[in-house]
Amino acid sequence: MAIAPHHRARVLGSPWTGVHGTWIDSARHYGRHWHATYGLGVVEQGAQRSASGQGDVEAFAGDLITTNPGEVHDGRPLGTDSRRWRMVYLEPQVVGSMGEVPADLALTRPVVHDARLGQALRQLLDRLELWNAGAGTRADALACDEALAHTCGLLLQRHATGIATQEGSARLATAQLLIVRDRLGDDPLDVPSLEQLATLAGLSKFQLLRQFQKVFGLTPFAWLLQHRAERARALIRDGAGLASAAASCGFADQSHMTRTFARHFGFTPGAWQQAMTH
């Protein structure tokens, strides 16, 4: 009896309808097929040869790979017995929600060399891994949302047809961004989605990310974590217990608050509490 080729695969859910990820380590030869989604992935180990809408292509470790809806492709190992890659798949309506996207949008190359996009994609995939491993809080969803918007924005601006490269009239006034920031800080237990914040600002999600970071020096999610840490620091200063402060400020648990404190302040909540009782 023939031994089946090595194959391991995991499917990653996401906070959104129409988005999922995969992690695959496989020696399989995939026959010609297509997906109804856009696909963006990274080869992490080994290499592969595949058919595409532009003929046969080869992708090696570190290369980014893409597919368009309906694009027929296949895949087989190249030079090794197996290869490992991670992908995120996006329904067309998800891509369309990222801004003014033409109906005939197409990703331009099946293999992409782009260090900045690769870094953004790895962060998105890592956050999806965390989302699937953890409780999936609303703050975690915001972090995933930011990573998705950032990745899609770079992909569409740099590797797709028919996308405008300037923001023009979409530039936000500082007063509008203050409204967005204040909404983020309103209630640490009621975290708005990036889509809600973008709607509040009248921008696409990617435009909001760029403008918010330009004005405040942080993405909305990073600003939210800093705000939570500052709020918890004030509560602890005023006598709140560590567990109570963590829960009140929207941290998943006390250890999450401790990691955020250490990253932002350079000391732990316990050290801060001890200092405030002397």
Side-chain angles (χ1 to χ4, degrees), residues 24 225 257 265 274:
I24 299 177
L225 287 182
M257 180 177 71
F265 302 132
Q274 185 175 7

Side-chain angles (χ1 to χ4, degrees), residues 103-115:
D104 59 349
L105 173 87
L107 304 180
T108 54
R109 290 192 294 275
V111 178
V112 173
H113 304 100
D114 185 330

Side-chain angles (χ1 to χ4, degrees), residues 16 19 39-41 64-66 87-90 95 98 107 114 116-128 143-160 194 205-206 209:
W16 325 277
V19 180
L40 174 64
L64 306 183
I65 51 180
T66 74
M87 296 284 298
V88 60
Y89 293 96
L90 311 163
V95 176
M98 296 295 162
L107 304 180
D114 185 330
R116 187 178 175 198
L117 176 59
Q119 182 180 21
L121 173 62
R122 288 181 180 89
Q123 183 180 60
L124 170 60
L125 290 165
D126 288 347
R127 285 182 169 172
L128 287 180
C144 287
D145 222 358
E146 284 187 358
L148 177 66
H150 184 50
T151 300
C152 287
L154 291 175
L155 177 66
L156 297 181
Q157 284 189 345
R158 299 153 77 104
H159 304 288
L194 195 63
K205 292 189 283 189
F206 183 61
L209 275 181

Side-chain angles (χ1 to χ4, degrees), residues 14-15 19 34 67 83 97 163 168 174 194 197 211 221 252 260 269 271:
S14 81
V19 180
W34 58 272
T67 60
R83 75 281 197 210
S97 72
I163 297 296
T174 301
L194 195 63
L197 294 175
Q211 293 291 339
F221 178 67
T260 303

Side-chain angles (χ1 to χ4, degrees), residues 133-147:
T137 68
R138 294 186 68 176
D140 293 331
L142 177 59
C144 287
D145 222 358
E146 284 187 358

